[in-house]
Amino acid sequence: MPPTAPPAAGVRTPWEDLPSHVHAAVAGILGAPVVHATTQPGGFSPGTAARLRTSRGHRAFVKAVSAQVNAASQVFHRREARHTAALPSAVPAPRLLGSHDDGIWTVLVLEDIEGRQPRIPWRRPELTRVLGAVTDLAHALTPSPVPDAPLAADALADQFDGWQRLLAEPAPAGLTPDALGPWSMAHLPRLAELAAPWPDAVAGDTLAHGDLRADNMLLTDDDRVVFVDWPHIVRGAPWLDLLLMLPCVRAQGGPDPEELFAAHPLGRAADPDAVTAALAGLAGYFVHRSLQPPPPGIPTVRAFQRAQGEAALEWLRKRL
């Protein structure tokens, strides 16, 4: 299947454009000034994402965003700093080296992982490697090593209610057969009913990354998979990360998600009705969000969500 999703890319702020006091704060964390920076592609944050090298030859990865550019991204950066610092050392994630927050700029300085993102469209050997790493990740994060991480039912409550929101809007601006799709338009009440039990369906004590996509993974030369960007962690079912990931895999040229889920150890152990309810909620989230105006500084995210919504709906219809 060819990719239907556009590249997962926002509008980056180059390292050189950051204020001098941010440069100084990063130098203070690293113990030397930065002499080289390379902006990294992938991801929707409108802030800075760059690999750094200092005058002493040390390497690091920096993420920085201003509330003036996108207030939500600043909230996510603050969450990521807390979550990354709390992860056990055995979890395949970059270590947090330090952070800076002056109320306007929020900056994370992380371990720089020597690796690359999976190729898009997905290649089978790389996808097989990632799916195995997702299994290992779920085992390493059960029970949740971050006991105060939010429950999935709470954290996703204002996201997985997309079908209900579309039903409740008296005259939603984007709600036409062309925008929503004729099948979804005709089955809105049924879709809302299918999604209704999702909070109980996703219950569990596994810490989920919550946003596994190709641009949030690095493949290393020693055959590891390192998962980056941890602002969206939740506690839920062991199979939750797998379910959240597969519509994106499909939208980026990967295989049928139902076949992948059914063949995966985490998928085989899951309750089928719970999976269907969670998938219905996920599809509603993507479809509803794709009809909204783009958030500040992230013009590409709605088309990306639309492609994932179409993939999730295709998967849901197959399960039904």
Side-chain angles (χ1 to χ4, degrees):
M1 173 183 169
T4 58
V11 180
R12 294 294 193 202
T13 302
W15 162 261
E16 294 75 14
D17 290 352
L18 294 177
S20 59
H21 77 274
V22 172
H23 288 173
V26 172
I29 292 169
L30 295 176
V34 172
V35 296
H36 184 76
T38 304
T39 296
Q40 298 302 294
F44 290 105
S45 170
T48 299
R51 294 179 188 267
L52 308 179
R53 189 177 74 248
T54 73
S55 60
R56 295 183 179 178
H58 298 151
R59 294 167 45 226
F61 188 88
V62 68
K63 300 176 69 171
V65 73
S66 163
Q68 297 171 334
V69 174
N70 186 284
S73 291
Q74 187 177 52
V75 171
F76 293 155
H77 277 37
R78 287 170 176 159
R79 288 179 186 170
E80 184 175 0
R82 294 196 305 272
H83 299 165
T84 304
L87 291 174
S89 60
V91 175
R95 306 276 75 79
L96 181 68
L97 304 179
S99 62
H100 165 80
D101 195 332
D102 58 25
I104 298 175
W105 284 93
T106 301
V107 184
L108 280 68
V109 182
L110 299 152
E111 175 188 12
D112 185 29
I113 303 298
E114 191 65 45
R116 61 170 178 82
Q117 296 172 4
R119 294 180 180 89
I120 300 301
W122 279 91
R123 316 285 178 88
R124 267 288 186 175
E126 293 183 357
L127 180 57
T128 299
R129 180 172 162 187
V130 166
L131 290 171
V134 171
T135 305
D136 296 340
L137 187 68
H139 291 162
L141 294 176
T142 306
S144 170
V146 185
D148 60 346
L151 295 173
D154 296 332
L156 303 177
D158 63 347
Q159 300 177 31
F160 277 32
D161 61 349
W163 301 123
Q164 288 87 343
R165 288 178 184 241
L166 289 169
L167 269 177
E169 294 176 17
L175 197 57
T176 66
D178 286 340
L180 189 57
W183 187 84
S184 299
M185 193 77 171
H187 292 85
L188 262 180
R190 174 62 173 151
L191 288 166
E193 179 184 0
L194 283 168
W198 76 263
D200 291 334
V202 301
D205 192 30
T206 297
L207 188 70
H209 175 284
D211 196 24
L212 293 186
R213 304 187 311 253
D215 56 288
N216 285 339
M217 307 170 186
L218 292 172
L219 308 181
T220 68
D221 289 341
D222 58 355
D223 292 330
R224 292 182 301 136
V225 179
V226 178
F227 299 100
V228 304
D229 294 342
W230 290 80
H232 304 294
I233 62 170
V234 295
R235 284 182 292 144
W239 45 265
L240 182 58
D241 259 340
L242 179 67
L243 179 127
L244 297 176
M245 179 182 82
L246 291 183
C248 188
V249 169
R250 181 64 165 173
Q252 293 185 316
D256 176 16
E258 177 64 18
E259 294 178 8
L260 292 175
F261 194 87
H264 195 277
L266 299 174
R268 289 198 301 268
D271 176 78
D273 292 337
V275 172
T276 299
L279 179 57
L282 179 63
Y285 161 69
F286 282 133
V287 171
H288 177 262
R289 289 296 173 90
S290 73
L291 298 174
Q292 310 308 308
I298 316 179
T300 58
V301 71
R302 298 308 185 205
F304 197 85
Q305 290 171 331
R306 179 70 183 185
Q308 291 178 91
E310 291 171 353
L313 273 174
E314 176 192 33
W315 182 10
L316 180 61
R317 292 180 68 175
K318 180 169 287 191
R319 288 186 68 86
L320 296 178

